[in-house]
Amino acid sequence: MHNNLDINVHHITRVEGHGNIVVNVKEGKIEKLQWQVPEAPRFFEAMVRGHSYQDIQTIVSRICGICSITHSLAATKAVEAALGIKVSEQADKLRILMHYSEQLQSHTLHVGYLAAPDFFGTPSVVPLVARAADAVKTIVKAHRIANNWSDLIAGRTTHPVTLIPGGLTRTPTEKQLRQLQQTLKDAVPDLKKIAEVVLSVAANIPKFERPTEYVSLKQTTPPTYTFYHGGVTSNDNKGAVLPIEKWHDVANEYMVEQSTAKWAKWHRDAYAVGALARFNNNAELLSPMAKDAAKMFGLQKDCCNPYMNTVAQLVECFHIVETSIDLIDQLLVRGLKTEKVTSSPKAGKGAGCVEAPRGILFHEYEFDKNGKCVAADICIPTNQNHANIQKDFEKLLPEILDQSEKDIRLKLEMLVRAYDPCISCSTHFLDVQFVR
Amino acid sequence: MCERCAVEKDIYLPRLATLEKKRLMNPTEMYLRLSIDDNEPFDFIPGQFVEVSIAGVGEAPITISSSPTQKGYFELVIRRTGNVTNAVHRMRIGDKIGIRGPLGKGTYPVEEAKGKNVVFICGGIGLVPQRSFINYVLDNRADYKELAVLLGTKCLSQRFFHSELDVWSHRNDIRFMETIDQTDDCWLGNVGVVTTLIPKIEKELESALVFICGPPVMYKFVLMALQEAEVPKERIFLNLERKMKCGVGKCGHCQINNYYACIDGPVFRYSDLRIAPEAI
Amino acid sequence: MRTVTIDKNAFRRFVDEIIKRQRVIGVCAKGDRFDFEQLESADQLRLDYDVTLQPPKKYFLPPVETLLTFEVGDGYKSVYDDTPFVLLGVHPYDMVALNQLDTLFTQDNYDTHYMKRRHNATIVACDVVSPSKNVFASSMGTATVKDGFDVLLTDIGNAFVMESGSKKGDRFIAKAQGAVDSSEKDLQARQKIQAENEKRLNNHKLKCEASYLPKLLERAYDHPVWEEKAKTCFSCGSCNLVCPTCYCFNVQDDVNWDFISGKRQRAWDGCLLDGFTKVAGEHEFRKKRADRFRHRLYRKCKYVPEKISSQIMSCVGCGRCVGACLPDIANPVKVYNRLVDDLGIK
Amino acid sequence: MDRPRVAIFDFACCEGCQLQIVNLEEELLDLIDNVEVVEWREAMSEQSREYDIAIIEGSITRPEDEKRLEIIRTRAKTLIALGACATIGGINKLKNNFEMSDVKKCVYGKSADMPHLETMPTKAVDEVVKVDYKIHGCPIDRKEFTYVIRCLLMGKKPEIPEWPVCVECKSKGNPCLWDYGQVCLGPIIRAGCGARCPSSGFRCFGCRGYIDDPNVNGAKDVIERYGLSVDALKAKMVLFGIGQGPTNA
Ligand SMILES: Cc1cc2nc3c(=O)[nH]c(=O)nc-3n(C[C@H](O)[C@H](O)[C@H](O)COP(=O)(O)OP(=O)(O)OC[C@H]3O[C@@H](n4cnc5c(N)ncnc54)[C@H](O)[C@@H]3O)c2cc1C
Ligand code: SF4
Ligand code: SF4
Ligand code: SF4
């Protein structure tokens, strides 16, 4: 047991954006334990004001480079809700396909490049190249497939340019989709290989549990393991699903004394979002291969070990690939049509919600009659997780206080990284103090 | 495949040359002596240039500065101005340098000038390309009548070819005159721009062929002075520098109205440039 | 050399046959426009097109092309693209443009990179069915073409007349199942179409004979039209890039990560672009937009025709630059007509 | 060749440009073979104070960032601005359309006056320190990034296009989006992206910044011809271009 401990992880590495961990233990008593976010605020909700409904997704895509497609989709959905714009079935399916590409991009990036070094005990993926060259190559390959996939449907890997209110600027050709489908089919063995490698080091995933409220999207018609459609649910909500317009009832933002960022709560004093939340709320709807993968790791519904979020992401990779292969079939059967998209400005207010790789994301906009934005509200998944990270810290630290400082530090960092935080997209912050 | 394609050489393909000697002549100008590696001929006429090719960096057109009377090697003088020229300056003795050429069909009128007075007016680095013909005339001195060389240099630190210039100024079969734009304490010679020297060579200018090479601004003033001295345009030759990407008349960058500096030049007869207002 | 008639269904089967054996590039629909693309089936072919987005020159002078590779210290190696291909559906004005490029790339110095591609191609030209909005080939004398092609197709309703223009064309035609020697009637039908095209591809009418343009330009160097038009010129180079006879290029090196091997590439360039003539020391020989604007129109109808001693101008009247220029100043006819108005024909 | 030490730093941005470096996939290994990455927070735990090349991502929006950037400048021999946020201020500059107090109130309401929310009008990196090279784009183009790095390692000045996006757009054979009613900034924006957006059917919104000498007369003329208002064009130009010359013309 440490009597005195001073851990100050300034700008935690291998996460997107800046976050600090401050631990202060004096004579066996935890004096200070904080998860802080000192990221420079960027004021997106203020910046979009005055801009045309057609430019919103171009602007807010820049909230986050890793989930730019997700932000664009949420914003576009919100704009369409506000202006009453309809989207064709083909465009809807293509958007879901686009969204999947980013989920795979982000998940392989997180599992392979950011979290894996922890499991292998290396400071970054670079030394891993020497240790597990084959595994790294496979990860790189999967990541590249996901990137090319985004390029094809979204026009770019990062910051999509094919999304416009009402549909898409461009339809891929049948040939391109068929090629993509083949690539995805060929990628399955690679995914299995990655899963095996992760399984081989799964013993390094800390055993830690804390009963948690998990919030995610849920789609009942038809029942789908959803990232894109549906309403909001949680394991505390007894299966009820809230329409997304009611998202303010879910993400109740609040402040507490020791807090560094705005926290969110629904039924309890914190909740978690992300792959594990989606899994806990929808696991029975996963694709067969994804179910097998979950079984491999013994991941079951109601898992409340936050470190298992990384595993849930891996499971989702299987689901994404398998479902996309099917989705492409559906598109090809219908035959692809070039669609002309038009839209016109009108006053209105609307919300859009999708699952970012790291959890549920809400966008809401209001427009005047010229289609100029007058107000915006964005609530990103990482902000919804901040409070939960803090709560996890508070339960975890006393349990591991007898370990070496190095191990404590690593476990805390790993915990933060397991949430795959994307702090750069955080749009709201409160009271950050720097402990130096 | 077409027969011609089978025999024609790739005009973009450099051959290799070895750097035999190099010497920094002033802060920016490097003297280089090169010899071609292969046994194919490398015959040139004064005024022709080569494309110097540095793998990975690019190419730069550089006029051959030595006279064709010197066999077995050729000399270049290269001013450091950008990527290629900087890379050349970093080359070491023995290194391989890519060479395309000799290029340019507009050369010095070696034959036409025979039996006539020849006058060279050079501004700064403009001496470098003219030097090839100057030395050619010196090596075939009996073929030509009066020889005058005027050289204007911006400041003393940029002066180069000191010993060669020294020899010229002491030979009596060449009238060599020099001036420096800006006054300098230890300079005892002429001060002022090169045009101030032109009235001093009235005799040599008579029935002479006049050759001009220097920075873009110089041409206008020298031509005005020559007009004053009543030298007809048919007897004036300009060595013009333009941006070049291929050196073989395709890329279009060096075009001066209807002319391509690389194949129609780089040496032009002034009277031919009447319809080329972009030349000066 | 033979002239045959082949009915359209037989022609389609013929094209499908060739596709099985060779790379075939033909005109396809691209949204509501047309462009050359590699064919997968004859059904994609649209010989009734108006004008392609890009001129066919890209198959001989690609937008980016590797000229050579190198190993530092070990010399350079030429890189050639040696795959034979069929280019299907080249309009007469574009064929004339290619004929000019052939001269330009062989004159003075022989460009093996361009010419090897050229010799690997079988060019099937075709007479225009639907004139484009901006075409003025009739004014430029390029509405029909007499040589350069391997095969010339003319749509005479339910069949094509195919004329061979070379030995390669003879071999091509010989493989066409169902082609019969053209009847007098078919030839007359073709003659009529060509005669009509010589007049009707003229949506901008030049007020003088095209062959007079070099003379006209001789007197127009300091005319105010250059400044006037160029005031709104973006120097975007669009007019250069879409032109079938523009062939200027830039050359650039890049190395691989070993810093030993690498390649030298050439890429399309444009004389309208800022920096086209910039040399070390920031000196730029055509710094003013008006100078660059004028240069293109002089190149088209004075410099290049004079350089290759051609009676046909180097603007072949495809009209692509007219549509490509946002401020709508690039139309050569408008400029030349203005000069005719102001300077008269002498 | 000595491997120069490279450090990558991020300021206010979405980190999408760093992501493009990760997205180099196998080529990332080539990069790492040739440079020694001594600090790169997004991808590794190591940190360092000694480096030859500093790569700066993001724009400068707080006084404390200005100080941090100045320190980085004194340590680095070469400083590269990576991506639109760093080269031209990027999307973050939209904030400069408003009063800072208004911006803070809009997002944080009652808490707007808390000290850590201090913010200043967004600056591009070269508005604070000297920048040696700019890698444009939002996000950057991976090919261009590796090209510039290779040039630096060879001691060669990279050739970054001075010409506008239309050149690449036309080279690709795209029909012009203006013909389809889109306000595309292609003719005044620096090329180098391969005309990615117009090739996907989406107007160029100017993430690579203006070319050196954009023709404002031309822009005005075109607006009139297409029956648009100057405001419509300005609104588009302002997305990535605020603070640059022609925006205020
Ligand atoms: C016919 C001719 C003869 C020349 N002879 C000499 C000589 O003997 N000694 C000498 O020092 N210089 C000479 N120059 C100038 C020399 O070619 C340029 O200084 C050199 O090309 C600059 O290239 P860089 O890569 O170092 O510079 P950068 O600025 O990096 O070059 C960029 C590109 O621009 C082109 N370019 C830039 N400046 C010029 C220029 N002035 N002329 C032509 N192309 C240019 C180059 O082809 C290069 O590809 C001559 C130029 C010409 C046209
Ligand atoms: S297309 Fe028009 S605007 Fe663009 S460079 Fe040509 S003339 Fe100028
Ligand atoms: S100048 Fe214009 S009309 Fe003439 S050939 Fe070129 S693109 Fe066609
Ligand atoms: S779409 Fe944009 S980039 Fe392309 S040519 Fe038109 S204006 Fe230029």
Side-chain angles (χ1 to χ4, degrees):
Chain A
M1 178 72 106
H2 288 279
N3 266 336
N4 292 309
L5 182 63
D6 216 342
I7 294 179
N8 190 346
V9 183
H10 186 61
H11 290 187
I12 179 172
T13 57
R14 280 185 284 130
V15 299
E16 236 234 337
H18 306 99
N20 300 338
I21 301 169
V22 179
V23 176
N24 220 316
V25 178
K26 227 181 225 147
E27 282 146 28
K29 215 175 118 243
I30 299 170
E31 294 219 316
K32 191 169 196 177
L33 167 59
Q34 281 189 354
W35 164 236
Q36 304 176 332
V37 178
E39 181 84 3
R42 299 204 295 143
F43 304 99
F44 273 92
E45 289 136 313
M47 294 194 310
V48 294
R49 288 174 304 159
H51 284 279
S52 157
Y53 72 98
Q54 290 173 325
D55 291 332
I56 300 296
Q57 92 281 0
T58 303
I59 299 172
V60 300
S61 151
R62 271 71 192 174
I63 289 175
C64 171
I66 293 193
C67 28
S68 59
I69 292 179
T70 304
H71 277 287
S72 293
L73 284 167
T76 308
K77 277 178 78 179
V79 168
E80 286 163 351
L83 275 68
I85 300 169
K86 293 270 169 302
V87 177
S88 76
E89 200 185 321
Q90 173 181 299
D92 192 67
K93 287 196 153 65
L94 282 169
R95 283 180 179 185
I96 292 175
L97 198 59
M98 178 196 298
H99 195 203
Y100 279 143
S101 74
E102 185 172 80
Q103 303 285 342
L104 188 64
Q105 257 194 54
S106 180
H107 282 1
T108 46
L109 178 79
H110 180 243
V111 175
Y113 292 18
L114 307 178
D118 285 336
F119 301 155
F120 284 90
T122 58
S124 76
V125 75
V126 178
L128 255 191
V129 178
R131 293 261 309 270
D134 233 27
V136 173
K137 261 190 214 141
T138 316
I139 283 277
V140 166
K141 192 170 150 204
H143 192 232
R144 193 186 42 237
I145 288 171
N147 282 346
N148 293 345
W149 177 2
S150 300
D151 274 339
L152 174 66
I153 318 277
R156 298 201 199 169
T157 324
T158 305
H159 301 319
V161 288
T162 57
L163 256 187
I164 45 170
L168 297 163
T169 57
R170 150 182 109 169
T171 315
T173 64
E174 292 188 6
K175 190 175 162 194
Q176 287 169 322
L177 280 189
R178 226 170 263 125
Q179 276 168 353
L180 170 63
Q181 193 183 40
Q182 194 54 50
T183 313
L184 294 179
K185 283 178 182 164
D186 297 343
V188 170
D190 290 330
L191 280 184
K192 288 193 171 143
K193 198 156 139 197
I194 294 169
E196 271 155 26
V197 173
V198 175
L199 188 64
S200 71
V201 288
N204 295 339
I205 300 173
K207 313 245 169 329
F208 165 74
E209 289 188 335
R210 187 179 70 81
T212 300
E213 174 172 12
Y214 287 101
V215 175
S216 76
L217 275 181
K218 188 173 188 75
Q219 181 182 340
T220 46
T221 44
T224 308
Y225 189 101
T226 183
F227 292 84
Y228 190 73
H229 287 303
V232 192
T233 197
S234 100
N235 47 339
D236 287 4
N237 211 28
K238 305 184 186 70
V241 180
L242 246 66
I244 52 167
E245 299 77 48
K246 293 240 163 94
W247 71 272
H248 284 287
D249 296 347
V250 177
N252 296 286
E253 289 175 317
Y254 72 110
M255 296 157 15
V256 284
E257 227 162 78
Q258 70 180 89
S259 141
T260 55
K262 246 186 201 180
W263 289 5
K265 66 173 176 182
W266 192 3
H267 297 96
R268 309 184 199 184
D269 53 4
Y271 66 81
V273 299
L276 192 57
R278 290 188 289 263
F279 178 88
N280 278 335
N281 290 332
N282 301 309
E284 64 281 1
L285 297 168
L286 280 168
S287 74
M289 275 194 301
K291 282 184 177 150
D292 290 347
K295 226 174 264 153
M296 239 171 103
F297 288 88
L299 178 64
Q300 284 177 346
K301 242 183 137 148
D302 301 324
C303 163
C304 56
N305 176 355
Y307 292 98
M308 287 302 274
N309 192 49
T310 309
V311 172
Q313 290 182 328
L314 189 57
V315 168
E316 284 189 344
C317 289
F318 284 95
H319 178 82
I320 289 160
V321 168
E322 209 173 359
T323 312
S324 300
I325 291 171
D326 188 49
L327 190 59
I328 293 172
D329 272 336
Q330 293 173 30
L331 280 161
L332 290 175
V333 165
R334 297 172 75 254
L336 291 164
K337 287 170 211 65
T338 312
E339 294 179 332
K340 204 166 153 50
V341 182
T342 49
S343 61
S344 46
K346 135 173 182 246
K349 183 175 177 175
C353 167
V354 295
E355 284 281 347
R358 44 202 53 72
I360 197 163
L361 164 70
F362 305 101
H363 278 233
E364 188 175 81
Y365 303 96
E366 194 179 340
F367 298 95
D368 66 14
K369 64 178 197 312
N370 298 320
K372 289 243 178 351
C373 181
V374 289
D377 201 351
I378 301 164
C379 182
I380 60 134
T382 298
N383 271 357
Q384 299 171 65
N385 276 333
H386 283 324
N388 214 62
I389 294 176
Q390 179 71 31
K391 296 288 165 203
D392 281 349
F393 271 11
E394 286 165 15
K395 179 160 189 287
L396 176 65
L397 186 60
E399 289 177 17
I400 57 172
L401 211 50
D402 54 349
Q403 299 181 5
S404 74
E405 182 180 329
K406 183 166 159 268
D407 280 353
I408 294 176
R409 178 189 279 262
L410 179 68
K411 293 231 164 74
L412 293 177
E413 281 195 33
M414 272 175 83
L415 181 79
V416 173
R417 278 198 282 268
Y419 279 90
D420 189 6
C422 186
I423 306 164
S424 59
C425 47
S426 303
T427 46
H428 313 278
F429 298 95
L430 282 168
D431 188 20
V432 175
Q433 21 168 304
F434 289 86
V435 179
R436 290 182 208 271
Chain B
M1 179 182 323
C2 131
E3 287 154 30
R4 191 137 177 227
C5 284
V7 292
E8 288 282 351
K9 291 221 172 87
D10 181 356
I11 49 177
Y12 304 106
L13 192 70
R15 45 213 282 218
L16 290 186
T18 305
L19 180 57
E20 292 182 340
K21 275 188 192 161
K22 67 178 263 195
R23 192 176 78 239
L24 197 61
M25 307 178 74
N26 64 27
T28 49
E29 263 89 33
M30 176 78 78
Y31 161 93
L32 305 143
R33 192 175 119 169
L34 294 143
S35 66
I36 293 285
D37 286 6
D38 59 46
N39 296 320
E40 303 285 311
F42 185 83
D43 300 325
F44 64 95
I45 305 167
Q48 284 198 299
F49 66 98
V50 291
E51 282 282 352
V52 171
S53 182
I54 305 294
V57 183
E59 296 190 312
I62 304 292
T63 307
I64 303 169
S65 188
S66 52
S67 159
T69 42
Q70 284 171 318
K71 304 272 181 217
Y73 66 89
F74 62 98
E75 295 167 336
L76 305 176
V77 175
I78 298 185
R79 169 177 292 184
R80 199 164 46 137
T81 58
N83 278 336
V84 176
T85 46
N86 274 322
V88 171
H89 275 234
R90 288 196 298 264
M91 290 277 149
R92 282 180 295 234
I93 306 291
D95 278 356
K96 301 291 175 198
I97 292 180
I99 293 289
R100 283 196 296 131
L103 303 168
K105 298 198 179 103
T107 57
Y108 285 101
V110 176
E111 294 304 317
E112 185 186 334
K114 282 191 178 147
K116 297 203 177 80
N117 292 351
V118 282
V119 172
F120 293 87
I121 303 174
C122 320
I125 193 174
L127 169 67
V128 168
Q130 308 243 66
R131 178 175 167 260
S132 175
F133 193 25
I134 297 171
N135 280 328
Y136 184 86
V137 172
L138 287 172
D139 290 345
N140 299 280
R141 194 62 195 87
D143 292 349
Y144 301 89
K145 278 168 71 185
E146 295 301 314
L147 164 64
V149 176
L150 308 185
L151 171 64
T153 309
K154 223 186 194 156
C155 59
L156 199 54
S157 66
Q158 284 194 354
R159 200 173 170 265
F160 50 15
F161 282 119
H162 298 278
S163 48
E164 199 161 325
L165 299 187
D166 211 37
V167 173
W168 290 356
S169 55
H170 288 99
R171 268 173 88 145
N172 48 19
D173 58 350
I174 165 172
R175 179 107 192 268
F176 175 66
M177 275 191 287
E178 234 190 316
T179 173
I180 300 277
D181 283 11
Q182 281 147 15
T183 27
D184 207 299
D185 292 342
C186 48
W187 176 252
L188 302 173
N190 299 307
V191 174
V193 289
V194 73
T195 39
T196 55
L197 300 177
I198 293 175
K200 300 185 186 176
I201 51 160
E202 219 169 290
K203 188 170 74 64
E204 287 83 354
L205 276 179
E206 204 145 296
S207 81
L209 297 191
V210 183
F211 307 100
I212 312 172
C213 186
V217 285
M218 191 189 91
Y219 292 86
K220 207 167 108 198
F221 295 103
V222 171
L223 287 170
M224 264 160 37
L226 290 178
Q227 203 175 353
E228 210 136 284
E230 288 175 0
V231 181
K233 289 180 175 166
E234 287 71 24
R235 289 201 267 112
I236 302 174
F237 293 82
L238 312 174
N239 195 333
L240 296 180
E241 186 185 293
R242 286 297 184 276
K243 175 155 171 170
M244 285 178 191
K245 279 295 178 183
C246 74
V248 289
K250 309 293 179 207
C251 79
H253 287 269
C254 72
Q255 212 177 350
I256 307 168
N257 297 105
N258 50 330
Y259 295 113
Y260 277 71
C262 62
I263 47 173
D264 302 318
V267 180
F268 289 94
R269 191 191 297 268
Y270 187 33
S271 53
D272 288 344
L273 290 175
R274 262 173 319 159
I275 47 163
E278 286 173 349
I280 314 300
Chain C
M1 283 178 222
R2 271 177 83 198
T3 302
V4 298
T5 300
I6 183 166
D7 91 70
K8 285 191 171 168
N9 283 327
F11 181 75
R12 193 172 312 129
R13 284 193 298 274
F14 173 45
V15 172
D16 276 327
E17 274 309 304
I18 320 171
I19 290 173
K20 279 188 208 148
R21 295 193 311 266
Q22 234 186 34
R23 192 157 83 108
V24 179
I25 287 144
V27 180
C28 304
K30 185 168 174 181
D32 54 1
R33 309 288 184 88
F34 298 94
D35 211 355
F36 288 99
E37 252 166 68
Q38 179 153 354
L39 295 183
E40 284 170 26
S41 121
D43 293 338
Q44 294 169 278
L45 189 63
R46 287 288 300 274
L47 292 177
D48 60 338
Y49 76 99
D50 55 357
V51 65
T52 52
L53 282 162
Q54 281 186 312
K57 74 172 177 196
K58 70 170 168 182
Y59 294 101
F60 308 103
L61 182 70
V64 183
E65 163 189 11
T66 299
L67 292 174
L68 44 88
T69 55
F70 51 77
E71 299 260 336
V72 172
D74 199 33
Y76 303 79
K77 247 209 232 76
S78 306
V79 175
Y80 292 112
D81 178 3
D82 267 340
T83 30
F85 63 100
V86 177
L87 189 59
L88 241 173
V90 175
H91 273 168
Y93 49 81
D94 278 340
M95 193 63 237
V96 173
L98 283 175
N99 291 343
Q100 292 192 5
L101 291 185
D102 292 353
T103 310
L104 288 159
F105 278 103
T106 46
Q107 197 179 46
D108 298 314
N109 290 297
Y110 188 92
D111 190 307
T112 43
H113 297 267
Y114 174 93
M115 287 310 289
K116 283 206 179 174
R117 286 202 185 78
R118 193 63 187 77
H119 288 297
N120 277 322
T122 306
I123 297 188
V124 181
C126 82
D127 277 313
V128 179
V129 175
S130 339
S132 72
K133 191 170 89 205
N134 289 317
V135 71
F136 54 96
S138 303
S139 277
M140 305 311 292
T142 55
T144 55
V145 62
K146 297 272 168 288
D147 51 17
F149 52 80
D150 296 301
V151 176
L152 173 68
L153 285 179
T154 314
D155 185 335
I156 55 163
N158 51 1
F160 290 112
V161 171
M162 289 204 285
E163 174 191 333
S164 161
S166 68
K167 289 211 186 86
K168 217 189 266 175
D170 287 346
R171 288 196 295 275
F172 186 86
I173 284 181
K175 290 187 203 124
Q177 297 273 323
V180 294
D181 283 322
S182 297
S183 67
E184 199 50 42
K185 196 170 125 259
D186 292 348
L187 291 177
Q188 271 167 12
R190 179 173 84 143
Q191 176 55 38
K192 189 161 162 265
I193 286 166
Q194 290 177 339
E196 276 169 9
N197 276 358
E198 272 169 27
K199 295 205 200 69
R200 98 188 155 117
L201 306 188
N202 216 10
N203 291 331
H204 303 281
K205 286 190 190 59
L206 190 64
K207 290 184 179 171
C208 64
E209 290 294 317
S211 55
Y212 177 67
L213 290 169
K215 278 225 174 67
L216 177 69
L217 289 175
E218 221 159 87
R219 294 183 286 130
Y221 201 76
D222 296 315
H223 194 276
V225 70
W226 314 118
E227 283 286 353
E228 275 165 34
K229 293 262 176 191
K231 236 194 293 180
T232 54
C233 174
F234 282 119
S235 300
C236 70
S238 292
C239 49
N240 291 132
L241 286 143
V242 299
C243 182
T245 61
C246 272
Y247 62 98
C248 292
F249 55 83
N250 192 5
V251 181
Q252 214 179 319
D253 279 22
D254 198 3
V255 288
N256 300 326
W257 278 109
D258 60 9
F259 291 92
I260 291 171
S261 61
K263 57 181 184 266
R264 181 163 294 162
Q265 291 185 307
R266 70 172 160 197
W268 288 354
D269 208 335
C271 60
L272 266 293
L273 301 176
D274 194 12
F276 187 77
T277 56
K278 190 149 86 192
V279 296
E282 298 299 295
H283 192 83
E284 196 168 341
F285 291 94
R286 277 189 292 278
K287 177 72 199 153
K288 284 188 3 219
R289 285 183 211 282
D291 293 347
R292 300 197 293 270
F293 184 82
R294 175 177 58 201
H295 185 71
R296 180 178 77 100
L297 289 161
Y298 266 71
R299 252 185 90 100
K300 293 297 145 196
C301 294
K302 180 169 168 60
Y303 303 156
V304 178
E306 282 175 358
K307 183 174 165 65
I308 60 177
S309 317
S310 162
Q311 289 307 305
I312 299 179
M313 296 298 104
S314 196
C315 167
V316 294
C318 70
R320 287 186 181 93
C321 62
V322 181
C325 176
L326 269 182
D328 193 21
I329 51 172
N331 188 340
V333 176
K334 277 198 187 158
V335 175
Y336 298 140
N337 281 352
R338 166 80 187 283
L339 295 175
V340 171
D341 288 347
D342 286 6
L343 304 174
I345 300 174
K346 279 187 204 154
Chain D
M1 202 184 314
D2 287 345
R3 290 198 314 161
R5 284 161 307 182
V6 173
I8 303 173
F9 301 97
D10 43 42
F11 289 83
C13 65
C14 76
E15 299 186 19
C17 290
Q18 286 186 61
L19 182 63
Q20 303 318 305
I21 304 179
V22 176
N23 284 349
L24 289 173
E25 319 291 6
E26 285 91 343
E27 232 189 316
L28 184 57
L29 302 180
D30 290 319
L31 176 73
I32 286 166
D33 274 347
N34 285 287
V35 301
E36 189 188 340
V37 183
V38 293
E39 176 157 352
W40 183 7
R41 193 196 44 77
E42 192 181 77
M44 53 193 254
S45 301
E46 296 94 329
Q47 297 187 0
S48 170
R49 297 176 143 236
E50 282 168 35
Y51 36 81
D52 305 302
I53 301 174
I55 299 179
I56 308 292
E57 185 198 32
S59 32
I60 309 308
T61 62
R62 296 184 297 196
E64 69 216 61
D65 293 340
E66 249 176 318
K67 287 198 200 88
R68 183 170 157 231
L69 180 60
E70 277 157 10
I71 293 170
I72 293 171
R73 176 72 261 193
T74 57
R75 290 184 186 151
K77 289 194 198 90
T78 305
L79 187 140
I80 303 176
L82 185 76
C85 290
T87 57
I88 57 174
I91 214 86
N92 297 326
K93 272 212 172 175
L94 287 181
K95 190 178 74 175
N96 300 8
N97 284 335
F98 306 93
E99 290 295 327
M100 291 305 112
S101 56
D102 169 53
V103 166
K104 286 193 287 183
K105 195 160 258 130
C106 172
V107 179
Y108 296 101
K110 286 199 296 283
S111 322
D113 290 330
M114 304 185 100
H116 69 282
L117 291 177
E118 203 34 70
T119 190
M120 61 185 200
T122 302
K123 289 182 182 174
V125 172
D126 68 357
E127 291 173 66
V128 180
V129 296
K130 181 175 164 271
V131 170
D132 299 303
Y133 296 100
K134 290 182 180 177
I135 301 178
H136 296 279
C138 177
I140 55 158
D141 182 85
R142 288 166 236 166
K143 276 212 191 94
E144 189 176 52
F145 172 76
T146 55
Y147 165 72
V148 171
I149 297 293
R150 282 195 301 268
C151 283
L152 282 186
L153 294 176
M154 288 172 71
K156 166 178 160 187
K157 185 166 167 255
E159 290 175 50
I160 304 295
E162 302 168 20
W163 50 84
V165 175
C166 293
V167 172
E168 290 173 343
C169 191
K170 290 289 187 325
S171 298
K172 290 219 161 144
N174 297 322
C176 180
L177 292 170
W178 280 85
D179 295 351
Y180 299 84
Q182 293 199 45
V183 177
C184 180
L185 299 187
I188 49 172
I189 300 299
R190 187 184 304 281
C193 52
R196 252 170 186 268
C197 302
S199 302
S200 298
F202 195 81
R203 60 184 189 274
C204 167
F205 44 88
C207 72
R208 294 177 58 88
Y210 293 109
I211 47 169
D212 293 339
D213 185 19
N215 191 343
V216 183
N217 283 332
K220 283 190 182 138
D221 181 71
V222 170
I223 297 164
E224 276 163 29
R225 267 181 11 100
Y226 282 81
L228 295 162
S229 69
V230 174
D231 280 349
L233 185 83
K234 261 194 168 175
K236 306 283 176 198
M237 284 170 55
V238 129
L239 281 190
F240 275 83
I242 187 167
Q244 296 194 41
T247 314
N248 309 316

